[in-house]
């Protein structure tokens, strides 16, 4: 036990990337990602401790502090841990299951054993670094068992858990052979947070259906209290466990650190537009290269609009940034192949020498580079088949506070609940994507007042419900949770 750490975040990854060099030395650099973006300001404020995996197998640095004073406590994973826990159970079992079976989950007993063992490793690390009575905030689907294990190890801790991906309907979740253990693990927390009210309601319904989840008695949940748009200010729902503990359940839509956004350099924006050939319309997609993100479908929509003449290849370009992701998993390799084949085909059909119509980058970009892309884009396309929230949509909106631009957004992204000024589409229907792309371009060109009003509605939501509101709401509810146990 470390008496200095009264606030601890535990997540699968540390907020850094660690690279091991051939001579055995290593280098560490800040890592991108929605979770890091959301939690870093909170930890800096509390000067807390972050427990997580540094991204390398069999080796990890000693605990160290970042420049902003956050203590990073690495957890060592072996190659077998990584394969079974991360690539296996986390991303080939839970990820597709929680994203409504876009691909078929694999239920593998050895992966499940690895998942249990690694969750125990994380819980042990948290137990070691946490002060007596500390607040511990467990993050995401890779660590679903940690709250329950921690509850047994350290009953003095105040434990919160937040799920950053969707929570599926009970009918889907009950496919999981280890469903009771997962639910019991989650119920080790004092407060469970989800992005959307629907996700929270799915979990509440599940606890009533899976009898073993909370022992012999599961309390009748109260109605979720919702105020301030989609934000739950007070947890009005709970599950009562067999030992009489009340576990709060609520919806807390994550957001971004709007204060961290700086306006993109005007000269860089101008330079990029010139490089692109000064098109009338710039479409933009920024995603991990993941089969849930609907990248191929938006490319097909763009291709068909070029084919029909609705878009002129001399006047419209598509920029797609596809960050590498889980490239050893078969479904991800297939997705990359399909996307890159489509990019080549579209450019072969509609581009010309020195003037591709699709500009494709398969790498990570810095925040500054992304802000230039956001500023250049006229229409942002965020078309996932299923997404917990999607912070890219909010980042684009934050960069267009003046009301410029338009957002075409999947109705199955969590952000669709909040960004009501977006042009909502059905990502499973290419015709729907096409209609909303055309509608966005039409409004920008012929009905600018309407387009501006829609974007200002979006930006006001993002700026009034930023990451600080998310974190403060959750932590306030966590402080109050369990008091009636």
């Amino acid at each position: 036990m470390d008496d200095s750490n009264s606030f601890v975040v535990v997540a699968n990854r540390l907020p850094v990337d660690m690279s091991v060099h051939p001579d055995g030395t290593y280098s560490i650099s800040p890592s991108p990602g929605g979770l890091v973006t959301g939690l870093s300001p909170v930890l800096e404020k509390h000067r807390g401790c972050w427990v997580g995996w540094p991204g390398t197998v069999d080796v990890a640095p000693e605990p160290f502090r970042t420049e902003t004073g956050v203590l990073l406590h690495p957890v060592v994973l072996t190659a077998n841990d990584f394969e079974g826990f991360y690539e296996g159970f986390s991303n080939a079992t839970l990820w597709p299951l929680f994203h409504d079976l876009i691909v078929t989950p694999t239920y593998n007993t050895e992966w499940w054993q690895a998942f249990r063992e690694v969750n125990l490793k994380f819980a042990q690390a948290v137990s070691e670094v946490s002060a007596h009575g500390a607040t511990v905030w467990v993050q995401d689907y890779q660590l679903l068992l940690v709250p329950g294990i921690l509850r047994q190890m350290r009953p003095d801790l105040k434990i919160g858990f937040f799920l950053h991906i969707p929570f599926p309907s009970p009918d889907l979740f009950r496919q999981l052979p280890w469903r009771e253990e997962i639910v019991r693990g989650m119920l080790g927390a004092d407060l469970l947070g989800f992005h959307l009210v629907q996700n929270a309601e799915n979990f509440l319904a599940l606890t009533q259906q899976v009898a073993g989840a909370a022992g012999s008695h599961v309390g009748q949940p109260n109605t979720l209290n919702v105020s301030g748009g989609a934000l739950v200010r007070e947890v009005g729902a709970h599950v009562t466990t067999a030992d009489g503990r009340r576990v709060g359940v609520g919806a807390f839509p994550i957001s971004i650190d709007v204060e961290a956004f700086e306006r993109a350099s005007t000269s860089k924006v101008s330079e990029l537009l010139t490089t692109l050939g000064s098109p009338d319309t710039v479409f933009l997609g920024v995603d991990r290269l993941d089969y849930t993100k609907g990248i191929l479908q938006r490319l097909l929509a763009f291709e068909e609009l070029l084919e029909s003449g609705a878009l002129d290849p001399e006047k419209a370009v598509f920029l797609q940034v596809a960050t590498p992701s889980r490239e050893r998993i078969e479904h991800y390799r297939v997705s990359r192949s399909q996307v890159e084949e489509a990019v080549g085909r579209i450019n072969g059909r509609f581009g010309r020498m020195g003037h591709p119509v699709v500009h494709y980058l398969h790498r990570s970009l810095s925040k500054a580079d992304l802000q230039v892309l956001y500023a250049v884009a006229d229409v942002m396309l965020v078309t996932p088949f299923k997404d917990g929230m999607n912070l890219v949509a909010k980042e684009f909106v934050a960069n267009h506070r003046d009301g410029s631009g338009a957002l075409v957004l999947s109705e199955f992204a969590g952000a669709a609940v909040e960004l009501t000024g977006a042009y909502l589409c059905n990502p499973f229907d290419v015709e729907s994507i096409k209609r909303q792309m055309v509608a966005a371009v039409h409004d920008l060109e012929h009905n600018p007042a309407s387009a501006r009003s829609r974007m200002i509605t979006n930006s006001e939501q993002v700026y009034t419900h930023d990451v600080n509101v998310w974190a403060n709401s959750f932590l306030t509810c966590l402080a109050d949770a369990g008091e009636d146990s």
Side-chain angles (χ1 to χ4, degrees), residues 40-254:
S40 292
V42 185
L43 271 166
E44 289 165 14
K45 179 181 176 181
H46 288 83
R47 285 187 63 84
C49 175
W50 184 313
V51 174
W53 176 55
T56 54
V57 295
D58 297 317
V59 61
E62 291 298 312
F64 63 98
R65 289 196 181 272
T66 66
E67 293 178 357
T68 56
V70 176
L71 176 64
L72 301 187
H73 186 94
V75 175
V76 179
L77 296 186
T78 67
N80 287 336
D81 287 338
F82 177 75
E83 291 173 11
F85 154 74
Y86 184 74
E87 292 186 328
F89 198 80
S90 293
N91 290 313
T93 302
L94 293 177
W95 181 267
L97 177 65
F98 281 41
H99 287 84
D100 291 356
L101 315 186
I102 293 170
V103 303
T104 303
T106 300
Y107 300 122
N108 180 302
T109 301
E110 291 183 0
W111 291 354
W112 164 244
Q113 293 296 337
F115 186 80
R116 293 177 65 191
E117 290 168 8
V118 171
N119 271 247
L120 176 60
K121 283 188 181 183
F122 275 86
Q124 288 171 333
V126 173
S127 178
E128 291 170 8
V129 303
S130 300
H132 181 81
T135 294
V136 175
W137 196 357
V138 185
Q139 307 290 328
D140 222 3
Y141 66 103
Q142 301 97 341
L143 304 179
L144 289 166
L145 299 179
V146 167
I149 300 171
L150 267 183
R151 178 65 55 195
Q152 294 181 345
M153 289 181 171
R154 294 285 304 275
D156 60 293
L157 298 176
K158 179 75 78 168
I159 304 169
F161 177 87
F162 190 84
L163 184 68
H164 291 265
I165 65 174
F167 193 85
S169 71
D171 286 349
L172 293 183
F173 188 92
R174 292 205 320 271
Q175 290 187 12
L176 190 63
W178 309 280
R179 58 198 189 184
E180 288 87 0
E181 291 95 325
I182 292 286
V183 174
R184 280 200 295 270
M186 295 176 71
L187 288 173
D190 294 293
L191 174 63
L192 294 168
F194 302 87
H195 284 307
L196 305 179
V197 170
Q198 183 60 60
N199 299 153
E201 289 178 342
N202 284 346
F203 178 79
L204 290 167
L206 175 70
T207 61
Q208 294 177 302
Q209 294 178 18
V210 180
S216 60
H217 172 69
V218 177
Q220 180 69 26
N222 297 325
T223 303
L224 287 167
N225 293 326
V226 184
S227 63
L231 183 69
V232 171
R233 299 288 185 181
E234 297 178 358
V235 177
H238 70 274
V239 173
T240 303
T241 64
D243 58 2
R245 291 178 49 252
R246 283 167 57 99
V247 179
V249 180
F252 307 84
I254 196 172

Side-chain angles (χ1 to χ4, degrees), residues 431-443:
E431 291 299 321
S432 174
I433 302 172
K434 288 162 59 178
R435 280 195 302 273
Q436 297 300 60
M437 289 172 70
V438 169
V441 172
H442 177 272
D443 283 354

